[in-house]
Every structure is written in structure tokens, then in C-alpha cells.
Amino acid sequence: MIILITIVSCNQIDNKKINSNTIDRFQYDDSQKLLKFLNNFIETDSTITNNNETIKNSSIRLRKELTEFLKINDSIFYQLPIKLSDVYKVDGGYYGKFFTINELTVSDLQSEDKKKKISKGSNKIERLSSVVIVKLNKDDISSLKEGNIYKVVGNFKYFLSNCEFLNRKLNVSDCNPKIEKGIWSEQLVSFDLGLLYLETTQKLEITEPNIRGVEYFKY
């Protein structure tokens, strides 16, 4: 499943220097509500990626808390725009399948300070992935172009089950939100937000991927 927020640096980085003691994430903007929510989720429990059972239990908690969070925040994918993959017409309604595909940048490597910890309020997300199914307004259809990135405001309805949407199966085995261990650092966490369904409440806005601390993948 599919939003990737992967950690990279604008400069060449020696992978041997990337570990939990030497990395300090960029200070995320509080307007990025989704990143703030997920970083707070990490802060509340330091054991979430300890083993398979803690990962499973934390993933169950993530679905519950993420549902509550999305229900009261309709501008998440306005702050973190999403990329249009496909447009469908089914039973007279129009739907778009979007991916959120990003990279977070590393702002500071404290390579000499071996006791350096990731500071509170800094980003601790290594990767972020999801697929977002959006019910579209008919008036938007002619202007939407697959491959473009859009700001989307809409009401979250629910997570789609069994990785199916209107008889269109996605090439994944599990569409529920889940977490994974970070690859670059044990203190970082990867999130898969699952298959989300929402309905737009205002016209989609085309945009360029220009967000502080976030770089978009070119696919």
C-alpha cells in the first residue's frame, strides 16, 4: 500500500552514520496535522516496534485512533497533497484513486555526538504510505489529469475492507492501517495508512510538490 515518506538527505549521506544516536529529524510544521498526529502516536508508546506482537497491537490501535482523527480533520490531504493515479465512473458516480508519495528530508546529522537523541517535536516517521479513494464532483472530471498532484479537502468515511473498491482489487494483501520498523533507524517508524475512502467537499486544486521538509517521488 502506498504513501511513501522515506528519509533522505539533500547531500550524500554515509549510511554507516545513519543510526538512532546520530540523526535528528527536521522540525515538522504544526500545520502538518497528519505528521503531528503520527509523531504523537510514536511518542505515546516506545514499545510499538519491539516485536511482532507489539506491532500487531499497535496497528490495531492505529486504526482506531486514525479513524477518530480523520473524522474531525477534512484537510489532511490539502496539507499533504496526493497524486492522481486513475479515475473511474461506476453507477453514474466518479471516483479517483490517489497515492500519497513523499520523502522526508534529514536536516541535521550529529555524527560526533553519540548520545544525541531524536528531539521531542521532531519527525520520527521514516516512511508513510496509503491509497486514497476519493468520490469526485462531476464538474471536476474534465480538468483532472492522471499523474498530477492535487490538494484535496473531503470527509473521511471509512477504511475499505478486503482491498477492494467497486470490484477493482488492489495488488496488496492487507488494506488496514499498520506500522513497521524503520530501516534507517530503530527509533523511526514506517506507517501504512491503508485504503481510505473520502468524499470531496470542495473543488480539487492542482499543485506543485513544494512543502517544507517533504520531497515527492517522481513516479
Side-chain angles (χ1 to χ4, degrees), residues 91-105:
D91 296 331
Y94 291 92
Y95 302 86
K97 181 169 72 175
F98 292 81
F99 298 107
T100 325
I101 303 175
N102 328 102
E103 295 180 345
L104 295 184
T105 58

Side-chain angles (χ1 to χ4, degrees), residues 72-158:
I72 59 173
N73 290 282
D74 65 356
S75 60
I76 296 306
F77 299 114
Y78 189 92
Q79 298 165 348
L80 194 66
I82 49 185
K83 184 175 182 177
L84 178 62
S85 171
D86 300 286
V87 173
Y88 308 118
K89 183 179 181 181
V90 181
D91 296 331
Y94 291 92
Y95 302 86
K97 181 169 72 175
F98 292 81
F99 298 107
T100 325
I101 303 175
N102 328 102
E103 295 180 345
L104 295 184
T105 58
V106 173
S107 65
D108 186 24
L109 294 176
Q110 301 290 341
S111 58
E112 301 302 319
D113 185 357
K114 300 303 181 183
K115 295 182 180 180
K116 177 71 176 180
K117 299 297 183 182
I118 301 174
S119 59
K120 185 176 179 61
S122 294
N123 181 64
K124 303 172 184 64
I125 305 165
E126 180 175 280
R127 297 190 310 274
L128 178 59
S129 63
S130 75
V131 176
V132 185
I133 302 298
V134 180
K135 186 174 182 180
L136 303 169
N137 294 320
K138 184 178 180 179
D139 293 342
D140 286 335
I141 301 305
S142 61
S143 62
L144 293 176
K145 184 176 180 180
E146 293 171 354
N148 283 347
I149 296 172
Y150 293 91
K151 295 181 177 181
V152 179
V153 176
N155 294 324
F156 169 76
K157 296 301 181 180
Y158 45 77

Side-chain angles (χ1 to χ4, degrees), residues 44-82:
T44 59
D45 186 355
S46 62
T47 71
I48 60 178
T49 59
N50 276 5
N51 55 63
N52 289 338
E53 285 302 308
T54 61
I55 289 173
K56 181 173 69 175
N57 292 336
S58 297
S59 296
I60 293 171
R61 180 168 66 89
L62 175 64
R63 175 179 174 124
K64 179 179 181 297
E65 294 184 12
L66 184 60
T67 297
E68 296 171 353
F69 171 77
L70 291 172
K71 288 285 188 181
I72 59 173
N73 290 282
D74 65 356
S75 60
I76 296 306
F77 299 114
Y78 189 92
Q79 298 165 348
L80 194 66
I82 49 185

